[in-house]
Amino acid sequence: MKTKKKINSNNLLIMITIIMFIVMYAIGCFVYAGKGFAHVQTFLNLFITNAGLICVACGMTCVILAHGMGVQGWPCIPTIILILVIGVIFGLVQGFLIGYLNIQPFITTMAGMFFARGMTAVICTDQLSITQEQNALFYSWANAKIYLPAFLGYTNNKGKVMTPYVRPTVIIALLVVVVIFIVLKYTKFGRSIYAVGGNETSATMMGLNVKRTKLFAYILSSFLCSIGGICYCLNTMSGSVQQAKGFEMDAIASSVIGGTLLTGGVGNVIGSLFGVMING
């Protein structure tokens, strides 16, 4: 008698991981065949180099189970649109995996982050600097100043009056805070997020579509991350794979400092704004 094994979210995640590895390794063998990538020793070196990490990962798995981009040479506007589209796609994929397949959010989002960094490295591993000659429009946005009233200024040691100013990125960030505050407080979608975060069972009994709410929450989050990435790039005027490492932890810390509970259902973006200021 044949038994039919049901594919649950855990098995699906393992299958996806294995398939991704096979596909990536096959591509590597094809692209870098001339450099010895297809040699057996190259494959074995993966285990040799990462032996320690494998052991640590096994230990960490036991604990957890116990419940314990920029494209060089592109014009400014198309690149920004592409970044925003990629953000929506990332949010859609991760929201589907988490909301509909019930795959652990921490694992899904971290895997997505590593995947994004990996794809960035495929595009370019060098530190890229954005200059006025390369992209005059982006350069002008980055260096634009919005001056505040003169009475807020001061006189420096050389006797020159310094008028305070902000960059366009500050205006973008504040607009995001205002819009998201309104969405969370005054829209059905925002109230659904609070309800689902507070108690999924109760939210379901109230007739809310929990899976769809999670999906759109991750799409929104990913879209805002794309906007944040653009603002970050405007501030640094450069890009590399190594940039913004630990940025996700700073974001989490700022939210928690601002009063958002990791268990969900409590918090708002105003608190997060001040959490960022305190962290900064």
Side-chain angles (χ1 to χ4, degrees):
M1 182 172 145
K2 295 182 179 180
T3 58
K4 194 174 181 181
K5 188 176 181 181
K6 184 179 179 181
I7 298 179
N8 57 29
S9 59
N10 292 327
N11 294 331
L12 181 61
L13 181 59
I14 294 172
M15 289 172 58
I16 292 174
T17 304
I18 294 173
I19 292 172
M20 283 184 62
F21 174 79
I22 293 173
V23 172
M24 291 173 65
Y25 196 84
I27 293 173
C29 291
F30 177 78
V31 176
Y32 302 107
K35 297 183 179 181
F37 196 94
H39 293 171
V40 175
Q41 187 58 54
T42 303
F43 177 77
L44 295 177
N45 286 343
L46 292 173
F47 294 90
I48 296 172
T49 306
N50 296 289
L53 181 58
I54 292 171
C55 296
V56 174
C58 289
M60 185 62 70
T61 301
C62 294
V63 172
I64 295 173
L65 288 176
H67 199 194
M69 162 166 91
V71 183
Q72 192 173 15
W74 274 42
C76 176
I77 301 297
T79 302
I80 289 177
I81 294 174
L82 176 63
I83 291 169
L84 296 176
V85 171
I86 290 174
V88 172
I89 293 173
F90 259 82
L92 178 64
V93 172
Q94 295 191 324
F96 177 78
L97 293 175
I98 294 168
Y100 286 85
L101 299 183
N102 295 319
I103 298 177
Q104 231 290 328
F106 182 80
I107 301 299
T108 305
T109 53
M110 179 168 285
M113 181 181 68
F114 288 147
F115 175 77
R117 283 195 182 276
M119 291 300 98
T120 303
V122 170
I123 296 171
C124 184
T125 57
D126 298 329
Q127 173 83 26
L128 300 178
S129 297
I130 303 172
T131 63
Q132 188 172 10
E133 292 74 21
Q134 291 175 333
N135 203 313
L137 180 59
F138 197 84
Y139 186 87
S140 65
W141 289 352
N143 290 277
K145 295 180 180 180
I146 301 173
Y147 288 96
L148 300 182
F151 70 86
L152 295 174
Y154 66 96
T155 303
N156 63 13
N157 294 332
K158 296 181 180 180
K160 183 179 179 181
V161 176
M162 306 297 294
T163 304
Y165 65 89
V166 295
R167 300 288 188 187
T169 51
V170 176
I171 305 301
I172 294 172
L174 292 178
L175 284 175
V176 166
V177 171
V178 172
V179 170
I180 300 305
F181 177 81
I182 293 173
V183 169
L184 291 177
K185 189 172 180 63
Y186 298 106
T187 67
K188 180 181 177 181
F189 171 64
R191 292 191 294 270
S192 297
I193 289 178
Y194 279 106
V196 171
N199 191 307
E200 287 190 22
T201 303
S202 297
T204 303
M205 295 176 65
M206 290 167 57
L208 297 178
N209 191 325
V210 174
K211 293 181 179 180
R212 186 174 64 186
T213 300
K214 285 186 176 182
L215 174 64
F216 281 103
Y218 277 96
I219 292 175
L220 177 61
S221 176
S222 190
F223 179 75
L224 294 178
C225 287
S226 293
I227 296 176
I230 294 169
C231 291
Y232 185 89
C233 190
L234 282 167
N235 185 46
T236 61
M237 288 301 290
S238 64
S240 76
V241 180
Q242 302 300 325
Q243 272 189 334
K245 278 194 170 182
F247 216 58
E248 69 286 351
M249 297 308 298
D250 290 338
I252 295 172
S254 298
S255 297
V256 173
I257 291 171
T260 303
L261 295 183
L262 290 176
T263 52
V266 177
N268 62 73
V269 291
I270 302 298
S272 299
L273 170 62
F274 284 94
V276 171
M277 301 302 291
I278 292 171
N279 200 17

